[in-house]
Amino acid sequence: ILAGCATTSSNVATVGAYRDSIDLSGRLSVNYQKEGRQESLTGNYDWTQRPGRVDVTLANPLGQTIATIEVTPQSATLTQSGRARVSEADIDTLTQRTLGWPLPVAGLRDWLQGYAVDAQGQRFSASPARNEVVTQDGWRLRFVEWQDPDAPQPVPRLIHADRAAVGDIQDLQIRIVV
């Protein structure tokens, strides 16, 4: 289910520094329990990140767009076909309200490049030898596979993100192929 290909632009070379501008695509899989029922979804994503803005397009496995998300420092907006646009002050509130589970877009800005902020508020830089961290907001991240594991700062290819509970969602698991 996680087999998929991804592309990265020249803005995401396998060199060491964090980049404010990246273009990525890949696949994601989400599994969780809600009200005692197991729920899941899989699909594709396109991620465009620029200073002060993130645009995410979510598509079903056949490539049809199911939602677009626009995030700026002032607001987050979700657009779905046939539905009114929904806006909130931040992305976590927006995704929880509209998707029923928190898509961690704020954290993904770092995670997709192999970084995170750990539970103590310290900057974490993942590598094949140091590939697991619990984030400040409670996500357990495992950077499982790498685009080029021998690069000075490898870029992740497969990320597992897990949270025990978020509101009425239990056992939330997100698998991201970059």
Side-chain angles (χ1 to χ4, degrees):
I1 197 166
L2 291 176
C5 57
T7 60
T8 59
S9 76
S10 60
N11 290 336
V12 183
T14 53
V15 293
Y18 177 85
R19 308 229 182 224
D20 287 326
S21 296
I22 59 173
D23 296 290
L24 302 170
S25 62
R27 294 186 49 78
L28 63 88
S29 168
V30 180
N31 294 291
Y32 59 91
Q33 287 188 8
K34 184 174 183 177
E35 299 173 358
R37 291 191 337 249
Q38 186 68 33
E39 303 283 343
S40 65
L41 68 94
T42 60
N44 304 314
Y45 68 88
D46 289 315
W47 179 279
T48 302
Q49 178 177 312
R50 300 292 179 261
R53 184 178 177 105
V54 172
D55 293 299
V56 181
T57 301
L58 300 172
N60 68 21
L62 299 175
Q64 298 168 319
T65 299
I66 56 174
T68 59
I69 301 169
E70 301 167 13
V71 183
T72 67
Q74 297 77 29
S75 69
T77 303
L78 178 113
T79 305
Q80 293 176 291
S81 181
R83 296 186 182 179
R85 292 170 55 108
V86 179
S87 293
E88 290 285 349
D90 64 82
I91 188 61
D92 295 333
T93 303
L94 176 69
T95 59
Q96 179 68 44
R97 176 179 159 200
T98 58
L99 301 176
W101 48 273
L103 178 64
V105 173
L108 283 167
R109 291 179 64 91
D110 287 344
W111 303 356
L112 293 171
Q113 296 187 62
Y115 297 98
V117 176
D118 70 19
Q120 292 74 43
Q122 300 298 308
R123 184 86 166 147
F124 173 84
S125 179
S127 70
R130 187 171 173 240
N131 65 351
E132 192 168 324
V133 65
V134 175
T135 67
Q136 199 167 31
D137 56 353
W139 289 94
R140 184 174 68 96
L141 301 177
R142 286 182 295 131
F143 296 87
V144 179
E145 293 180 24
W146 305 90
Q147 303 290 342
D148 177 1
D150 298 323
Q153 176 59 48
V155 175
R157 185 167 68 85
L158 177 60
I159 304 166
H160 291 183
D162 302 294
R163 254 179 113 170
V166 181
D168 62 346
I169 302 293
Q170 302 295 314
D171 196 26
L172 177 59
Q173 302 170 353
I174 302 175
R175 304 298 178 249
I176 305 160
V177 176
V178 182

